[in-house]
Amino acid sequence: METRLELDVLIYPDEVRVVTPEDLREWELETASQVSIPTVRLFVALYPYNPAAMSPNPDTAAEELPFVPGQIIKVFGDKDPDGFYHGESGGLSGYVPSNMVAEIPVDDEYLKHVLMQQGFLPVDHADMSLTPDLSDTGSVYEDVIVRRMVALFDYDPWENSPNMDSEAELGFRSGDIIYVLGDMDEDGFYYGDLHGGRGLVPSNFLQPLPWK
């Protein structure tokens, strides 16, 4: 009866040798280091989303993640060609429409953990009811209530807006100071002023600031 012995070998230009356990461990470590690990980021929900009623893809709505405004969502990797991320929140996972969420700019892993444990990111919309002199922002109606707010996140109306008429909205970047004119409308938007430019701004992207 013939006995066959199979061995793994390494072939070099000047030698051929049997693979050792150390060679196998080095190969496994090198292979593991080359595996692509999806980037994990945190996002906050800007609007309520019920896939069963709102999804643009009714056939796959069951694979999407429902959420409410302020809910923190852990997102893996980049958005797909249809504009959806893959994320998880509250023990559920699914696809997340990118125009309904905004990224939370945080890199610290411990802070990410704390935010995920918290589950929600509160946004204060307290009415400051102040009417100061806005001579540096252009003319405004005297009786209009003006509030000073800071942008919490970047906002690109063309990409983030849930509305069809996004050209009426004002784009801004995180940290911009926006002067809000009047009260919030029924869709959750203020009319704001930024460096003389005017347009609608989403209330859940803003945080009130005290007047100096």
Side-chain angles (χ1 to χ4, degrees), residues 122-198:
V123 178
D124 182 11
H125 297 297
D127 185 351
M128 298 175 62
S129 300
L130 297 172
T131 55
D133 178 12
L134 287 182
S135 58
D136 60 336
T137 63
S139 62
V140 296
Y141 296 108
E142 293 181 359
D143 295 334
V144 172
I145 296 175
V146 180
R147 303 174 183 87
R148 182 172 175 265
M149 299 193 178
V150 61
L152 296 174
F153 316 102
D154 294 351
Y155 184 71
D156 180 351
W158 296 102
E159 182 173 342
N160 303 125
S161 177
N163 301 316
M164 296 298 292
D165 55 344
S166 59
E167 65 275 4
E169 298 174 21
L170 187 65
F172 49 81
R173 298 186 64 81
S174 175
D176 282 346
I177 303 300
I178 299 173
Y179 292 92
V180 167
L181 315 177
D183 296 321
M184 182 173 64
D185 66 21
E186 60 183 12
D187 295 322
F189 280 74
Y190 290 112
Y191 188 71
D193 182 297
L194 175 63
H195 306 312
R198 301 277 179 86

Side-chain angles (χ1 to χ4, degrees), residues 44-47 68-72 119-122:
V44 61
L46 304 175
Y47 314 97
V68 296
Q71 186 170 338
I72 294 176
F120 283 83
L121 185 65

Side-chain angles (χ1 to χ4, degrees), residues 52-69:
M54 302 170 64
S55 176
N57 310 304
D59 294 338
T60 58
E63 300 175 12
E64 297 175 19
L65 184 68
F67 47 79
V68 296

Side-chain angles (χ1 to χ4, degrees), residues 21-77:
E22 288 75 15
D23 293 326
L24 291 175
R25 281 194 291 271
E26 289 182 7
W27 179 82
E28 289 173 354
L29 289 172
E30 182 179 349
T31 301
S33 67
Q34 295 174 355
V35 175
S36 176
I37 301 176
T39 301
V40 176
R41 295 176 290 166
L42 294 187
F43 283 66
V44 61
L46 304 175
Y47 314 97
Y49 186 66
N50 178 2
M54 302 170 64
S55 176
N57 310 304
D59 294 338
T60 58
E63 300 175 12
E64 297 175 19
L65 184 68
F67 47 79
V68 296
Q71 186 170 338
I72 294 176
I73 301 168
K74 184 189 293 185
V75 164
F76 303 92

